[in-house]
Amino acid sequence: MPLLREGKDGMSSQKKRDQLILHTALTAGRIMIENGSEIERVEDTMTRIAHNAGAQTSQLFVMITGILMAINGEVGAQIEPVKRRTFDLEKIAVVNDLSRQYADHKIDLQQFSNRLDHLDSVSRYFPFWLQLLAAALVSGPLEVVFRHNLPDFWITCVVGMLGWLVYYLLSKFIQIRFLSEFAAAAAIGVLAVLGVHMGLGNSVDDIIIGSVMPLVPGVPITNSVRDILAGNLVSGPARGVEALVSAAAIGFGIAMILQFM
């Protein structure tokens, strides 16, 4: 009987460790996908976590809407749904750094899991004022780079900043996908037209081109191409469609304003 109890305790301990490995790897993968990481990086990070934790084998199926993972030849597998997608490259960098610390034995598996849970629960976005400043500094310089229109630099900075303000507020309080891009683009179109009519700018087109740059879905487009080149022929096109719809929402917002104004 003592041997049997010891065997059961050993199996229970191993099962708990396997559950902890799965939780850690799945949480890391979900955080990375939610914040804009490409699928290949997610698969590599999760595989390394399982290997460094002592798992003999690991099987993964990663998509932008969910992750399926099993380790050590278990019949059952765990699913981690991905319910939201945004872009926070800092969180991806933190997950990669924690994975390296675990591989170097600087933290144990439980500490790794706890830090991932804390990272997942904490919003690490930059302050709102800094986001507005960044939107302005993206809009104005790119207008000069693309259109060589230096006199419209400052008005483009202001319009780009106000457009980002509309996008931020709608994304935070209404949370309807692609509506925020459409409304922000429409606001940019209105402000650009009014700015030129009031004599604050010279070219509506140049101001709009610079001001929409903070809204352009550059990260999804880049990750879509990388996923397709890596052979992920499901997640890659899905990201591409998402980026295409976002770009279409921006275009429709601008076109509507130019049509009626």
Side-chain angles (χ1 to χ4, degrees):
M1 291 296 294
L3 292 176
L4 181 60
R5 187 179 300 111
E6 181 180 353
K8 289 183 177 179
D9 291 342
M11 291 177 62
S12 177
S13 177
Q14 182 60 41
K15 188 172 182 180
K16 288 181 179 179
R17 181 169 178 81
D18 288 349
Q19 290 290 335
L20 183 58
I21 295 172
L22 282 172
H23 172 74
T24 303
L26 288 168
T27 302
R30 177 173 55 79
I31 291 174
M32 295 179 72
I33 293 178
E34 287 180 346
N35 292 281
S37 178
E38 64 273 20
I39 300 299
E40 186 178 15
R41 183 190 296 269
V42 175
E43 292 176 343
D44 180 68
T45 299
M46 294 180 66
T47 301
R48 288 178 183 272
I49 291 173
H51 175 74
N52 292 328
Q56 297 178 356
T57 60
S58 61
Q59 294 81 36
L60 281 172
F61 182 71
V62 182
M63 297 179 62
I64 63 172
T65 55
I67 308 171
L68 181 67
M69 184 177 189
I71 60 173
N72 292 332
E74 294 287 342
V75 176
Q78 288 194 11
I79 300 175
E80 186 75 15
V82 179
K83 298 180 180 179
R84 62 184 179 88
R85 285 182 297 279
T86 183
F87 305 104
D88 189 345
L89 301 184
E90 185 179 0
K91 277 193 173 184
I92 299 174
V94 172
V95 173
N96 286 331
D97 182 61
L98 289 174
S99 178
R100 295 187 188 97
Q101 290 184 36
Y102 179 63
D104 294 337
H105 306 290
K106 295 180 180 179
I107 57 175
D108 58 29
L109 186 61
Q110 187 63 58
Q111 291 175 321
F112 190 5
S113 178
N114 292 339
R115 293 188 185 184
L116 286 175
D117 290 337
H118 176 71
L119 177 66
D120 190 30
S121 63
V122 174
S123 296
R124 299 175 60 90
Y125 291 111
F126 291 103
F128 178 55
W129 66 268
L130 188 57
Q131 294 185 43
L132 291 178
L133 179 61
L137 294 179
V138 167
S139 302
L142 287 181
E143 183 271 330
V144 176
V145 169
F146 292 144
R147 306 299 295 178
H148 309 289
N149 185 355
L150 188 58
D152 285 343
F153 172 81
W154 292 110
I155 184 63
T156 304
C157 288
V158 174
V159 172
M161 181 177 64
L162 295 177
W164 182 261
L165 174 64
V166 174
Y167 172 79
Y168 177 87
L169 293 176
L170 288 177
S171 298
K172 184 175 182 179
F173 295 108
I174 298 181
Q175 296 180 350
I176 299 177
R177 194 63 190 267
F178 306 117
L179 175 63
S180 53
E181 288 94 335
F182 175 82
I188 287 172
V190 171
L191 292 171
V193 173
L194 291 178
V196 172
H197 281 297
M198 296 172 61
L200 301 176
N202 300 316
S203 173
V204 173
D205 293 342
D206 292 356
I207 296 172
I208 290 175
I209 289 172
S211 300
V212 299
M213 286 302 159
L215 305 176
V216 172
V219 174
I221 294 173
T222 303
N223 286 342
S224 172
V225 174
R226 294 189 64 175
D227 286 342
I228 292 173
L229 294 178
N232 295 299
L233 301 181
V234 175
S235 297
R239 286 186 188 272
V241 170
E242 186 177 29
L244 181 62
V245 174
S246 181
I250 296 172
F252 288 151
I254 296 295
M256 183 185 69
I257 298 303
L258 295 180
Q259 179 69 27
F260 293 104
M261 295 187 66

